[in-house]
Amino acid sequence: EVQLVQSGAEVKKPGESLRISCKDSGNTFTSYWISWVRQMPGKGLEWVGRIDPSDSYTNYSPSFNGHVTISVDTSMSTAYLQWSSLKASDTAIYYCARHDGFHSTGYYLGEAGYFGLWGRGTRVTVSS
Amino acid sequence: QSALTQPASVSGSVGQSITISCTGTSNDVGAYNYVSWYQQYPGQAPKVIIFDVSNRPSGVSSRFSGSKSGNTASLIISGLQAEDEADYYCSSYANSANVFGSGTRVTVL
């Protein structure tokens, strides 16, 4: 069974840097877009951004653009979400999710596809 | 890109049917048939229950169904069961972005 395996919980101080990871346990990593989703304590889901692992093309939500960076290492079948300077407001659970879905004619929907496979989430706590 | 609008809470008795609305704009929900719905239990990751407006993944109960009219999508849960008590989120493709709804807490009375 293919899984998205996320890195463990992190506790950081404001201003520190951080990179969390999401590893695809299967062998189709470059075939599917990956998104990152934030869930702040007691709040709803927010889309952070997405990446096409085949060429590292990225899109970001305007709310997160410039504050986070999404990247991949195809040799490790792993996607990353990183911050260069954390804020207390970054405290949240971060999920990675794979874009699934095919058009009726058979082609992959790419970034338009639904979030069919989710990681279990990485809890990030930023506190002084 | 603003969040899609969902009612904060919906409740119903066991066996009843409930509907959760998801209102967007002509740039997201109204523009594409790529609306999906997710169920989330406390402490767990979300799980897709409806994709492409009205399709159910394998293994998801037929009590869940979806539809769309204009800029508003809907999730219908028929024959409400105790295990349906959870948070529900819609999501839509919006060209350069994906967007989630504000979330709805379903309570089974």
Side-chain angles (χ1 to χ4, degrees):
Chain A
E1 180 190 0
V2 176
Q3 298 179 61
L4 295 178
V5 182
Q6 295 192 232
S7 49
E10 302 274 1
V11 179
K12 292 288 188 179
K13 290 181 167 48
E16 291 186 331
S17 63
L18 175 65
R19 187 178 75 169
I20 61 175
S21 65
C22 168
K23 182 177 176 60
D24 183 344
S25 68
N27 58 5
T28 57
F29 180 66
T30 56
S31 299
Y32 296 92
W33 285 69
I34 295 286
S35 272
W36 286 93
V37 177
R38 181 176 81 174
Q39 188 165 39
M40 299 176 75
K43 302 298 184 182
L45 305 176
E46 301 172 90
W47 181 74
V48 174
R50 64 194 181 203
I51 189 165
D52 179 354
S54 69
D55 61 7
S56 293
Y57 180 78
T58 54
N59 295 118
Y60 294 93
S61 163
S63 300
F64 294 90
N65 196 23
H67 185 54
V68 299
T69 301
I70 297 173
S71 61
V72 295
D73 181 337
T74 55
S75 68
M76 300 287 289
S77 296
T78 300
Y80 300 98
L81 177 66
Q82 66 182 66
W83 297 258
S84 58
S85 181
L86 285 160
K87 305 175 183 178
S89 57
D90 294 318
T91 294
I93 296 174
Y94 292 85
Y95 295 100
C96 60
R98 190 181 73 182
H99 288 248
D100 287 343
F102 290 82
H103 192 267
S104 57
T105 57
Y107 71 81
Y108 173 56
L109 289 173
E111 68 271 34
Y114 60 96
F115 305 115
L117 182 64
W118 293 70
R120 297 181 68 174
T122 295
R123 184 179 298 275
V124 174
T125 303
V126 184
S127 175
S128 53
Chain B
Q1 195 71 40
S2 300
L4 308 176
T5 301
Q6 298 180 229
S9 62
V10 174
S11 61
S13 300
V14 170
Q16 282 188 326
S17 293
I18 62 170
T19 299
I20 302 171
S21 60
C22 169
T23 301
T25 70
S26 57
N27 294 318
D28 39 60
V29 174
Y32 306 98
N33 287 325
Y34 299 131
V35 176
S36 48
W37 290 89
Y38 303 87
Q39 178 189 61
Q40 186 182 33
Y41 293 112
Q44 295 187 21
K47 166 193 165 186
V48 61
I49 56 173
I50 294 289
F51 67 92
D52 296 356
V53 175
S54 60
N55 293 291
R56 266 191 321 276
S58 173
V60 172
S61 172
S62 58
R63 297 184 299 100
F64 294 96
S65 61
S67 65
K68 191 187 88 166
S69 178
N71 296 337
T72 298
S74 298
L75 173 70
I76 303 96
I77 309 176
S78 57
L80 198 63
Q81 301 294 312
E83 62 262 30
D84 300 331
E85 189 160 289
D87 293 326
Y88 293 82
Y89 296 91
C90 61
S91 179
S92 176
Y93 173 68
N95 193 11
S96 58
N98 298 87
V99 61
F100 282 100
S102 46
T104 298
R105 173 69 53 88
V106 169
T107 302
V108 181
L109 302 172

